[in-house]
Structures are given as structure tokens and as C-alpha cells.
Amino acid sequence: MALKYIDIGANLTDPMFVGCYGGSAKHPADLHIVLEQRLYTTVGAHPTRCGEFGDDPEKYYMDLRSRIMANPAKVVAVGECGLDYDRLHFCAKQTQLKYFEKQLSLAEEFRLPLFLHMRNAHEDFMAILERNREKLQACGGGVVHSFTGTLEEAKNILAFGGLYIGLNGCSLKTEANVEVVRQLPNDRIMLETDCPWCGIRPSHASHKHVTTKFPTVKKKEKWTAETLIDGRNEPCQIGQVLEAIAGIRQEPKEKLAEIYYQNTLDLFFSKSK
């Protein structure tokens, strides 16, 4: 039986997908190969990029708004937005706080769910969501993607109501991560690669559960259309995330694929919104 997947997080504008690594070209652009099916997108400012609101934040906000208005059939969420206190060298805390909260108005206006980012900022993150509970109810909730937090943090997120948790290789890295994933409710989980980052590496605690392998080349210059580049994650590796979760939870991957696929449809493609 063919399994159904929806990868909720893929950074397809990253330079890696045009063959550029560390500022230099290593192989031909291959995004057209990576893309083999229809795509949808999110619109928003990542917390580490909130400085882009700059000297004219209203113009930046209206530009985001215009992008959503111009692409109603393609934009399925507002984001990735949130807080990242692990990388304050990219954007100051106060700037992140201000413009995370501002973007919630976009979700409310367009009745779009949120694609959320949270790193080492749980208390402030939840405080903003609580302060804007009515906006989240209007937009239908959201997903906290690439989750790497504690079980207590996960429980707080899920207790809020209307929120899902997105899992990728970074969510499956340590034994502590694995224990959190083992205890999450299936009806609140979504799958993602967060490519070209967050692949499941051999050093990860979850790697032993991965059964699907891909031919890879270690040197980027040796790229071919038939191989993956070692260290660069791709959407086709979404099945490895499912295999790891299935192994951790000791549940059939076929069953989990159906549940996680439906979760994604319910949030991003619900006819009732």
C-alpha cells in the first residue's frame, strides 16, 4: 500500500537547492528535480528575520498581507513565525516579541492557521498565544514545527487547544527527544523534513529505526540526478521521519501515515475554514 505524506516544513528557497554551499557553487541547480509534486506555501517572517520589518514595519507588514491576498489558493498558513532565543545574534528578543505578535493579526484576518517556531522561549511564546487566544481561535490554530522541547512544554502546547506538533530529524535526535515523541498523542502529530536541514543522522537516537536508505555522495561536486548529497535533507526523506516515529512508538507506519496525513489536511485544508 502506498503511504500518504505531506511534508509541512521545507525551506526550498535555501541556496543549497541551487547548488550553492557556504557561498560557492558546487553543482548545478537541482530544485526542479527535488520538486516532483504540487506545492503550497506559508507567508510570514521567521523570528530570526524579524529585523526585516526595519524602519518601515507597516510597509513590511502590508507586503506580507499583499502576498497572501495575491495567492489565496496557494498560501495555507501564516509563518513561519514565533520566537528563537537560541539565535538572538540574528535578531534581538524585543524585536522578535513585537513582530511575532503582530503577525497573529494576519492569521486572524485571513483565517489562516499558524506555522509556528519556538526555540528556548517557551514561557514568552505561550504568553503571547494566551494573550491572543481569540485570534488563534479565529484562524483555526496552528502547528509548532520542528519541536525539540520537553514533555512538559509539549503538554502545555497541546493543552492550549488547536495546536499540533511538527516532528523532523531534529525532533528525534536525543534519547530525551525520543521519550517525548513516544508520549505525544497521534492526533496532534505532523511530519516534516525542514529540508535542507534536520535530517536523521547516523548519530541520532532514532536512526536505528530508519529502514529506507538513499544513495548519497559525500562530495557536493559529485552530485548527480540519481543521488542525494550527504548532509542535505530533501522532501523525499519524509518517509524516514515516519519510520523513526513508528519504531519509537512501536506502531505500524501505515496506520500512523494515515493519521498524520489526516491531521495535516484538517489544519491546512479544512473545507470548514
Side-chain angles (χ1 to χ4, degrees), residues 167-169 172 191-192 200 237-246:
L167 301 177
N168 57 38
L172 305 165
L191 303 178
E192 58 176 293
I200 300 178
Q237 291 170 273
I238 189 74
Q240 294 180 329
V241 180
L242 176 66
E243 289 170 353
I245 295 172

Side-chain angles (χ1 to χ4, degrees), residues 2-8 37 191 212 235-236 238-243 253 257 260-261 264:
L3 301 181
K4 299 176 182 176
Y5 300 107
I6 298 179
D7 183 356
I8 66 165
Q37 53 190 345
L191 303 178
T212 300
C236 65
I238 189 74
Q240 294 180 329
V241 180
L242 176 66
E243 289 170 353
K253 66 180 181 180
Y260 303 158
Y261 183 81
T264 307

Side-chain angles (χ1 to χ4, degrees), residues 6 31 38 40 45 71 80 119 149 175 216 234:
I6 298 179
L31 182 59
R38 194 175 175 202
Y40 295 89
N71 300 280
E80 160 180 7
R119 283 283 184 276
E175 290 295 344
T216 63
E234 295 193 15

